[in-house]
Amino acid sequence: MPTERSHYGIGVSPGVAIGVAHLFRQEMGTLPQRPIKAEQVEAEYARFREALGLSREQIVSVRERVGREIGEEQAKIFDFQIHIINDSHLAAEVKEALGRRLLNVEVVFTEAIERYIQLLSDIDDELFRERRTDIRDVRDRILTNLAQRRPRTMGELPFASVIVAHDIAPSDAAMMERGKVLAFATDMGGRTSHTAIMASSMGIPAVVGLHDMSVKIQDGEQLIVDGNRGIVVVNPVEETVQRYNREIFRIKAFEEELVEIREQPAVTTDGHRVVLSANIEVPEEIASARANGAEGIGLYRTEFLYMSRDELPTEEEQFEAYKAILEGLKPDPVIIRTFDLGGDKFVSHLDIPFELNPFLGWRAIRFCLERVDIFKTQLRAILRASVHGNLKLMYPMISSVDEVVSANAILDEAKEELLREGVPFSERFEIGAMIEVPSAAVTADIIAGEVDFFSIGTNDLIQYTLAVERTNDRIAHLYKPCHPGVLRLIKMTIDAAHANDIWVGMCGEMAADPSIAMVLVGMGIDELSTSAIAVPKIKKVIRSISYAEAVDFARELLKYHRADRIQEMASERLRSILPALYEQQG
């Protein structure tokens, strides 16, 4: 008799599904290795070019299918893979290695593309590490075509199943028969993986980051995938199945409520309005932001444009990217944050030296104010794009008013240049500062005189205030968003903003916690920006509370001295207001 057991990972697409496991594996076989003669190099390279062409056709076909069945924004996920196949540097590298090593193309191509994968592995940033799956998908497709094999797809599932895999490539997810995939459970992956984006877009529960679960599961075992809590239950007992069946019923009823309010504003029961926006990192997320009822983009991170490439993006490339985002959201606002590179987002072509403590080092606005050439190029691109939508510009990691004044001076220089060149740009857009350093929160009343809005970045604000690196497992328990020190800095920032007649938002993960969101509303926050999938839940919270009660509740919590007690009280209040949402939070 099999016993029930649970595996814990990261829930990246909400919902619960119950079904039997179907192990999905791409069997690549042993990489063939054989010597070739110098006169065979051209033929071997021609074979590689033929495989590239076939792979390009296949990915373009997948992209077209996703565009038709899911949406154009999700289809753009495959533009990155097409870019890799079209990369002339990769092709040149393979050709050079064929002549130098005199080995078959499967070997030299694998070695070349593995260097790309290793480059992304070395970056301490989840978003860029997740792109490894996209490149591995390209690698496997090209090798499959070189071997003239037919790739296995999820479209061949015999019946509705829970897909269990070490990893799932976006193209695998795209080709599945949607009615036969109940949920995903993978060893690899994170919140920003394209597979996670695909699962969320298709409304399929998914748990990733389950380590080695795929080798511990047998085909046909019964599974419960809990995408809300990031849990996979194997061989559940009857009592567990019944409990989750009740939860599925409650989730379905609650989701119907969320759909009903999707197009409605985030207004408390006594008429207080809060703006709800979405954070995005890549343009593919615009569709999800729209679908979940976001009223704009509260944080568009621009770092992606600078990474995974050999040279800096040109002004024209940046202009086209910002223009697409602004046009895609028009008339809703888009807050474009100037690039926050350095620290953990290391880019070799920026010549940022090694630092012992990069989080406190030469990064973000500090880097921009010294590398004016790079900073001004971005500002010119943003200014040019400003005529195509509702732009708001924001500087990251501000620690003093001097940095804002200096950044605005460079912005003025960029404007003067464009004026001289006769290039149009909008003069009427707001400029904001990210408040994520304690010194900025403490001097918010001073900084407020130089900007039009604040956006509180809680991830770094908590880290810097409590001196806790949240990715350090040994001290992660000390990372407490409800620490009185953090809450007081947030309240101080909100009060300083309002005293100077500017608005204040929040774009950190704290804004996506339903129990804390109502506390923030009570503290006076004007805008909350979260991941797109969190928007409906936060909107439900806001529409379920009165502003007067929220103010009283926040005032009461600020009197407490212990973070755990504050969090406990906030959770208890959420349970009393929205028990279904409280249960989803786990």
Side-chain angles (χ1 to χ4, degrees), residues 88-153:
S88 59
H89 296 288
L90 174 64
E93 195 172 338
V94 169
K95 188 172 186 180
E96 185 276 333
L98 281 170
R100 176 169 46 83
R101 301 200 63 203
L102 294 178
L103 290 171
N104 58 306
V105 73
E106 286 90 345
V107 172
V108 298
F109 162 67
T110 300
E111 290 175 349
I113 205 160
E114 287 295 338
R115 283 193 286 275
Y116 282 64
I117 295 171
Q118 186 59 48
L119 179 66
L120 292 177
S121 300
D122 292 340
I123 299 173
D124 188 16
D125 183 287
E126 182 183 2
L127 174 66
F128 293 95
R129 286 198 302 270
E130 293 302 343
R131 298 295 85 82
R132 294 175 301 181
T133 298
D134 300 71
I135 299 181
R136 288 191 183 107
D137 191 23
V138 171
R139 176 199 63 192
D140 294 347
R141 184 176 294 279
I142 292 172
L143 289 175
T144 297
N145 286 326
L146 281 169
Q148 298 183 329
R149 290 196 306 266
R150 178 173 173 268
R152 179 189 176 193
T153 74

Side-chain angles (χ1 to χ4, degrees), residues 242-483:
Q242 289 182 8
R243 176 163 56 83
Y244 269 104
N245 273 328
R246 289 194 295 273
E247 180 161 340
I248 290 172
F249 179 80
R250 286 196 299 271
I251 288 173
K252 186 177 179 182
F254 184 69
E255 287 177 344
E256 288 173 355
E257 291 181 33
L258 295 183
V259 170
E260 290 174 3
I261 66 169
R262 186 175 57 192
E263 301 300 328
Q264 298 178 24
V267 180
T268 61
T269 56
D270 51 355
H272 180 76
R273 175 76 184 269
V274 179
V275 176
L276 272 186
S277 307
N279 299 337
I280 65 170
E281 302 188 7
V282 289
E284 293 93 317
E285 295 173 276
I286 291 178
S288 181
R290 286 280 193 207
N292 284 287
E295 300 172 81
I297 300 302
L299 173 63
Y300 169 44
R301 302 180 177 95
T302 56
E303 294 83 52
F304 186 77
L305 293 167
Y306 292 80
M307 304 182 78
S308 300
R309 53 190 302 153
D310 296 327
E311 69 288 326
L312 290 167
T314 65
E315 179 181 315
E316 194 63 24
E317 286 177 282
Q318 295 185 64
F319 162 70
E320 292 293 341
Y322 306 145
K323 175 186 171 186
I325 294 282
L326 288 165
E327 285 185 334
L329 269 298
K330 192 178 180 180
D332 291 330
V334 177
I335 298 179
I336 297 181
R337 185 184 70 181
T338 56
F339 65 81
D340 180 6
L341 295 172
D344 58 331
K345 304 180 188 73
F346 184 78
V347 180
S348 59
H349 49 272
L350 290 182
D351 295 326
I352 298 174
F354 173 77
E355 296 177 321
L356 288 176
N357 195 342
F359 287 100
L360 302 181
W362 196 40
R363 56 172 289 202
I365 197 66
R366 302 168 182 180
F367 175 87
C368 290
L369 294 180
E370 290 197 32
R371 290 300 306 269
V372 174
D373 54 333
I374 299 173
F375 187 39
K376 191 184 288 185
T377 298
Q378 183 182 36
L379 292 176
R380 283 175 55 96
I382 294 172
L383 284 168
R384 289 173 57 197
S386 64
V387 297
H388 295 282
N390 187 353
L391 167 72
K392 298 179 190 294
L393 175 68
M394 181 164 68
Y395 304 126
M397 205 184 170
I398 293 297
S399 61
S400 73
V401 70
D402 295 334
E403 290 169 335
V404 178
V405 171
S406 298
N408 280 339
I410 298 171
L411 180 65
D412 288 340
E413 290 177 14
K415 288 179 179 177
E416 290 170 6
E417 288 179 4
L418 293 176
L419 277 174
R420 287 196 298 272
E421 296 166 13
V423 178
F425 62 89
S426 173
E427 281 281 4
R428 303 175 63 183
F429 62 86
E430 295 183 348
I431 298 172
M434 233 176 140
I435 305 297
E436 52 190 335
V437 177
S439 63
V442 172
T443 60
D445 58 323
I446 301 172
I447 297 172
E450 301 295 332
V451 296
D452 302 301
F453 69 92
F454 288 150
S455 185
I456 303 173
T458 52
N459 299 350
D460 275 344
L461 183 63
I462 297 168
Q463 177 169 261
Y464 292 139
T465 302
L466 304 182
V468 173
E469 184 188 346
R470 58 185 177 142
T471 58
N472 184 332
D473 291 340
R474 298 193 67 175
I475 57 172
H477 63 285
L478 299 175
Y479 185 88
K480 296 181 177 180
C482 285
H483 189 290

